[in-house]
């Protein structure tokens, strides 16, 4: 009788509320997620950031990108810390926006569902007006100095080559093909002051790019640089006097700011040990603002081109990007750091005073309570120095040895920097999990020699061995629990995630691999055609028998029988870079071997999740995965 009553009582007890996946997201093998987990993480999920987009030359407001609903949209800010007035209202995020010189037209770039087949539009009164063909991949290049023309690249001719076009955005019928090219790395960087020429880049790899002058009337492309030299140019802009300023690693291991004339590069602002990664020229030519990447931290300098003297601006500690100089001289940039979620700041070029223009919400949490990023440097298996940033939980709240997640960046031409870590702060602050962000060989920010150390299939696994060296160092840390370490990563970092799980699986508890390459050959065969040659330079050419054999050998799918730890796989159905088939084939193979896999597939996403609903669910599923694998508990 008592047992019958107990069973009846249990049956009458309501089940704990569970999180429902968004309609476009399929959660395969993922256990039910209790609603209590959403409640616990809500402040971290509700944090947002703001990014500088452009200045409005008419009302002098600052155009920013931020998310209040499901995707990042454009907002106007009239003054420091003024309200953010939303001006775009699309289902998908806006990828970029640019005002004409007079401010009479705003051109935006947007794709659908993360497919990266961007179209250019005008935005007025909350409505988009299509400029491009609506089908091919189009990328904004630059406005002409008088604001009449937009230069852009498009794959509309054959889906692979990024031909060069100009159009008056006020009249889409004015669209004109200027030059047919070969390759997917072409872009218009800037128009000359006379309006008859433009500087064009052909990106071949992170180690090589070429600059050309484009005759806009006849379409002739004249090389401005030595096409045989292995030199990278990462930016080019004309000053009002016609001087062409560029960023180049010619004659140096690092990117330097200088001028290009008669095929000769002359460094003007030498930074001997660090990359100059971005610059902008004032409309009157009186100064040039540029950013230096020093051990991952940003420094802003203002250069007087007449004297060659530079003044340094004292920025908050963190990572800066997105330089935009207003016609009246104000310098806007986006800055984020472990204690700054990503906000717009404006510099007065006369006084060097820095004023914060946006103050993004952090879910009610105090960002100053977040852990600082600790720079860790080690010698790898071959003596090469590699580094990364370690974030530790508060030892007073979480004493003793703590579990660790190694989070590997994508690219591989990328760099982990002391940025704002968003929802990762929940792992650190609330669960006591340490997180390490490595910069393995092949990462940018450490010179062109370092970035080339992983090129091709025969050097690829050296970067995986770097992770092994980091694991040795971190396992020896008295505050790290060597028996509770896991790995995650996205894109190329996703490949590194799989490869680390295979090579060092005995030392790991789990792997969460996002939009990841599982087989280099199928990846190269199935990635979008406009990207294929660019990726062959980095990874190897699957058409060459010797390289193909090595690509197969180092692919995670080849060694999937060695992957014995719990696995989580996240992908987007519209991904043009790493097709969803890369995830499907490894999920199938792991399960065929009796392995455990949680698989998330979003039908309305591409290379990473942009929509908040999808991102939140993927984060909660990942949190469940870490709690099961690293902490040995599951929330109820």
């Amino acid at each position: 009788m008592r047992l019958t009553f107990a069973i009846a009582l249990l049956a009458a007890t309501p089940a704990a509320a569970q999180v429902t996946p968004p309609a476009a997201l399929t959660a395969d093998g993922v256990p039910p997620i209790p609603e209590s987990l959403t409640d616990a993480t809500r402040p971290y999920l509700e944090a947002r950031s703001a990014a500088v987009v452009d200045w409005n030359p008419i009302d002098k407001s600052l155009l920013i990108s931020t998310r209040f609903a499901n995707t990042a949209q454009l907002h106007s800010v009239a003054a420091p810390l003024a309200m953010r007035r939303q001006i775009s209202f699309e289902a998908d995020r806006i990828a970029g926006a640019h005002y004409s010189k007079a401010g009479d037209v705003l051109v935006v770039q947007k794709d659908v569902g993360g497919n990266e087949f961007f179209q250019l539009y005008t935005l007025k009164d909350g409505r988009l007006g299509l400029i491009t063909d609506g089908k091919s991949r189009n990328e904004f290049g630059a406005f002409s100095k008088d604001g009449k023309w937009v230069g852009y690249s498009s794959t509309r001719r054959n889906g692979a080559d990024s031909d060069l076009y100009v159009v008056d955005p006020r009249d889409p019928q004015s669209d004109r093909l200027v030059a047919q090219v070969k390759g997917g790395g072409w872009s218009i960087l800037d128009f000359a002051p006379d309006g008859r020429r433009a500087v064009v880049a052909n990106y071949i790899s992170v180690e090589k790019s070429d600059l050309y002058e484009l005759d806009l009337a006849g379409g002739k492309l004249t090389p401005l640089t030595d096409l045989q030299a292995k030199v990278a140019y990462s930016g080019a802009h004309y000053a009002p006097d016609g001087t062409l300023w560029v960023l180049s690693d010619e004659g140096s291991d690092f990117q330097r700011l200088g001028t290009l004339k008669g095929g000769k590069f002359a460094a003007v602002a030498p930074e001997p040990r660090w990359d100059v990664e971005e610059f902008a020229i004032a409309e009157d030519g009186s100064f040039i603002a540029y950013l230096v990447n020093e051990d991952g931290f940003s420094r802003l300098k203002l250069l007087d081109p007449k004297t060659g003297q530079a003044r340094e601006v004292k920025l908050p500690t963190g990572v800066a990007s997105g330089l935009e100089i207003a016609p009246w001289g104000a310098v806007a940039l986006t800055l984020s750091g472990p204690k700054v979620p990503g906000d717009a700041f404006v510099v007065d070029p006369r006084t060097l005073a820095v004023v914060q223009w946006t103050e993004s919400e952090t879910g009610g949490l105090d960002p100053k309570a977040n852990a600082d990023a600790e720079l860790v440097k080690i010698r790898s298996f071959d003596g090469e120095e590699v580094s990364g940033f370690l974030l530790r939980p508060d030892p007073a709240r979480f004493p003793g040895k703590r579990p660790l997640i190694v989070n590997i960046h994508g690219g591989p031409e990328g760099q982990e920097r002391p940025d704002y870590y968003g929802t990762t702060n929940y792992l650190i602050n609330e669960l006591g999990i340490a997180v390490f962000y490595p910069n393995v060989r092949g990462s940018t920010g450490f010179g062109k020699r370092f970035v080339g150390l992983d090129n091709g299939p025969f050097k690829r696994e050296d970067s995986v061995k770097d992770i092994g060296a980091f694991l040795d160092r971190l396992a020896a840390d008295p505050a790290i629990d060597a028996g509770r370490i896991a790995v995650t990563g996205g894109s190329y970092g996703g490949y590194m995630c799989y490869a680390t799980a295979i090579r060092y699986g005995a030392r790991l508890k789990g792997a969460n691999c996002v939009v990841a390459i599982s087989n280099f050959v199928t990846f190269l065969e199935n990635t979008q055609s406009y990207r294929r040659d660019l990726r062959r330079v980095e990874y190897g050419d699957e058409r060459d028998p010797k390289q193909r054999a090595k690509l197969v050998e180092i692919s995670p799918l080849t060694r999937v029988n060695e992957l014995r730890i719990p696995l989580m796989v996240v992908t987007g159905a519209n991904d043009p870079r790493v097709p969803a088939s890369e995830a499907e084939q490894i999920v199938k193979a792991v399960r065929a071997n009796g392995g455990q896999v949680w698989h998330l597939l979003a039908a309305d996403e591409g290379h990473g999740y942009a929509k908040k609903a999808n991102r939140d669910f993927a984060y909660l599923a990942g949190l469940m995965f870490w709690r099961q694998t690293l902490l040995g508990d599951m929330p109820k």
Side-chain angles (χ1 to χ4, degrees):
M1 177 68 99
R2 289 178 181 173
L3 180 60
T4 302
F5 176 76
I7 293 173
L9 184 63
L10 185 62
T13 303
Q18 297 174 0
V19 179
T20 302
L25 198 152
T26 301
D28 177 16
V30 179
I33 301 174
E35 190 66 46
S36 60
L37 199 57
T38 302
D39 297 336
T41 57
R42 182 168 286 111
Y44 292 88
L45 295 174
E46 294 306 322
R48 59 175 57 91
S49 61
V52 167
V53 177
D54 202 357
W55 286 102
N56 185 326
I58 296 177
D59 62 15
K60 295 188 175 183
S61 63
L62 185 61
L63 188 66
I64 66 163
S65 172
T66 192
R67 178 200 55 75
F68 276 89
N70 201 33
T71 58
Q73 297 296 316
L74 299 175
H75 296 70
S76 175
V77 182
L81 303 184
M83 66 170 286
R84 288 158 285 184
R85 182 174 63 85
Q86 189 168 343
I87 65 170
S88 70
F89 303 86
E90 300 301 311
D92 290 291
R93 63 181 169 181
I94 302 293
H98 308 267
Y99 278 107
S100 64
K101 181 177 181 179
D104 64 315
V105 64
L106 176 61
V107 174
V108 305
Q109 179 173 302
K110 187 184 78 69
D111 69 354
V112 176
N115 64 7
E116 297 186 20
F117 277 71
F118 298 108
Q119 304 301 319
L120 302 185
Y121 304 83
T122 55
L123 174 62
K124 185 177 181 181
D125 300 329
R127 294 184 176 89
L128 295 181
L130 183 64
I131 299 172
T132 46
D133 66 349
K135 297 177 291 185
S136 60
R137 176 184 166 88
N138 306 272
E139 291 192 276
F140 181 92
F143 257 111
S144 60
K145 302 300 185 186
D146 61 6
K148 180 178 181 181
W149 299 100
V150 164
Y152 71 100
S153 59
S154 177
T155 62
R156 74 184 63 166
R157 178 168 57 91
N158 59 13
D161 299 320
S162 295
D163 295 332
L164 305 174
Y165 290 76
V166 295
V167 65
D168 179 347
R170 305 158 191 83
D171 177 17
Q173 298 303 313
S174 67
D175 189 59
R176 179 170 67 90
L177 171 65
V178 179
Q180 288 189 7
V181 295
K182 176 67 175 176
W186 291 83
S187 59
I188 293 176
L189 300 183
D190 199 11
F191 286 81
D194 62 15
R196 297 193 296 268
R197 299 167 292 133
V199 59
V200 169
N202 179 23
Y203 178 92
I204 297 168
S205 75
V206 69
E207 296 178 279
K208 178 172 172 57
S209 50
D210 300 315
L211 296 182
Y212 296 78
E213 183 178 84
L214 173 64
D215 175 9
L216 293 168
K220 181 181 179 181
L221 284 164
T222 303
L224 295 173
T225 57
D226 183 354
L227 303 186
Q228 304 306 313
K230 195 174 184 179
V231 176
Y233 295 89
S234 59
H237 298 289
Y238 288 102
D241 64 1
T243 301
L244 183 60
W245 288 80
V246 302
L247 294 181
S248 175
D249 60 12
E250 182 177 346
S252 172
D253 199 31
F254 294 90
Q255 291 275 320
R256 298 182 293 172
L257 174 64
T259 59
L260 187 64
K261 185 176 182 179
K264 301 294 184 181
F265 171 74
V268 176
E271 298 285 341
R273 294 186 58 241
W274 310 108
D275 282 331
V276 178
E277 55 188 359
E278 185 178 341
F279 76 101
I281 303 176
E283 190 170 285
D284 63 3
S286 61
F287 70 92
I288 299 173
Y290 67 95
L291 289 168
V292 181
N293 174 355
E294 185 173 319
D295 247 340
F297 296 88
S298 292
R299 292 163 51 207
L300 172 65
K301 294 187 177 184
L302 303 186
L303 173 74
D304 183 335
K306 293 181 179 179
T307 66
Q309 298 300 307
R311 297 174 294 156
E312 184 164 352
V313 179
K314 187 173 178 56
L315 293 175
T317 300
V319 180
S321 62
L323 287 175
E324 292 290 341
I325 302 179
W328 52 95
V331 182
L333 55 85
T334 307
L335 189 137
S336 62
K339 302 178 188 297
V340 181
D343 273 306
F345 291 77
V346 174
V347 179
D348 185 323
R350 297 179 300 277
T351 66
L352 304 187
V354 180
V355 177
Q356 187 169 349
W357 269 57
T358 63
E359 189 172 13
S360 294
E361 298 81 0
T362 54
L365 300 167
D366 180 6
K368 295 182 176 59
N370 293 333
D372 283 315
E374 173 188 333
L375 180 62
V376 175
K377 294 184 178 182
I378 66 165
R379 294 289 175 181
S380 192
F381 69 96
D382 57 354
E384 184 70 36
E385 183 178 81
V386 289
S387 63
F389 290 96
L390 176 63
L391 291 98
R392 301 178 185 270
D394 181 359
R397 184 176 178 189
F398 299 101
K401 292 179 176 289
R402 304 309 309 166
L404 171 75
I405 297 172
V406 178
N407 191 326
I408 309 171
H409 70 70
E413 306 96 341
Q415 182 187 8
E416 288 295 355
R417 304 179 65 179
D419 216 326
Y420 189 72
Y421 296 100
T423 52
T424 298
N425 288 316
Y426 179 85
L427 302 175
I428 301 165
N429 298 343
E430 308 295 341
L431 298 184
I433 299 174
V435 182
F436 180 65
Y437 293 89
N439 282 311
V440 297
R441 67 192 64 205
S443 301
T444 53
F446 305 96
K448 62 183 179 183
R449 182 197 67 83
F450 188 85
V451 83
L453 290 178
D454 67 339
N455 284 0
F458 299 97
K459 296 181 182 179
R460 182 59 48 200
E461 291 192 303
D462 285 352
S463 58
V464 183
K465 294 177 186 177
D466 287 342
I467 297 297
F470 281 125
L471 290 175
D472 291 341
R473 161 65 174 81
L474 295 166
D477 190 304
I480 300 297
D481 185 347
R484 291 191 294 168
I485 298 178
V487 64
T488 188
S491 190
Y492 172 74
Y495 153 73
M496 290 286 290
C497 177
Y498 288 146
T500 300
I502 290 168
R503 182 180 285 269
Y504 303 109
R507 305 168 66 173
L508 301 172
K509 291 294 187 182
N512 182 352
C513 308
V514 180
V515 293
I517 299 168
S518 62
N519 182 311
F520 280 110
V521 171
T522 56
F523 156 71
L524 288 167
E525 290 175 341
N526 295 322
T527 193
Q528 283 291 329
S529 54
Y530 64 84
R531 304 186 73 254
R532 190 169 295 124
D533 286 341
L534 301 174
R535 292 296 81 196
R536 283 170 174 157
V537 175
E538 174 65 41
Y539 297 126
D541 192 334
E542 83 287 0
R543 298 167 300 182
D544 176 90
K546 186 177 178 181
Q547 293 189 53
R548 185 184 184 95
K550 188 64 177 180
L551 286 167
V552 170
E553 178 189 329
I554 66 174
S555 291
L557 192 64
T558 302
R559 299 176 57 186
V560 72
N561 62 318
E562 300 174 50
L563 205 164
R564 299 187 178 91
I565 60 176
L567 181 67
M568 180 170 171
V569 175
V570 180
T571 194
N574 301 325
D575 193 339
R577 306 187 196 188
V578 181
S581 54
E582 289 296 300
E584 292 163 0
Q585 62 191 9
I586 203 160
V587 168
K588 181 179 179 181
V590 171
R591 287 177 175 167
N593 288 339
Q596 174 189 345
V597 187
W598 300 6
H599 183 202
L600 294 181
L601 175 65
D604 58 349
E605 299 279 13
H607 197 64
Y609 289 4
K611 296 178 171 65
K612 185 177 186 299
N614 295 332
R615 294 178 67 174
D616 285 358
F617 188 89
Y619 175 74
L620 293 173
L623 197 53
M624 293 274 288
F625 185 75
W626 298 135
R627 292 192 62 161
Q628 181 187 78
T629 56
L630 279 183
L631 302 182
D633 73 337
M634 290 286 276
K636 299 179 174 60

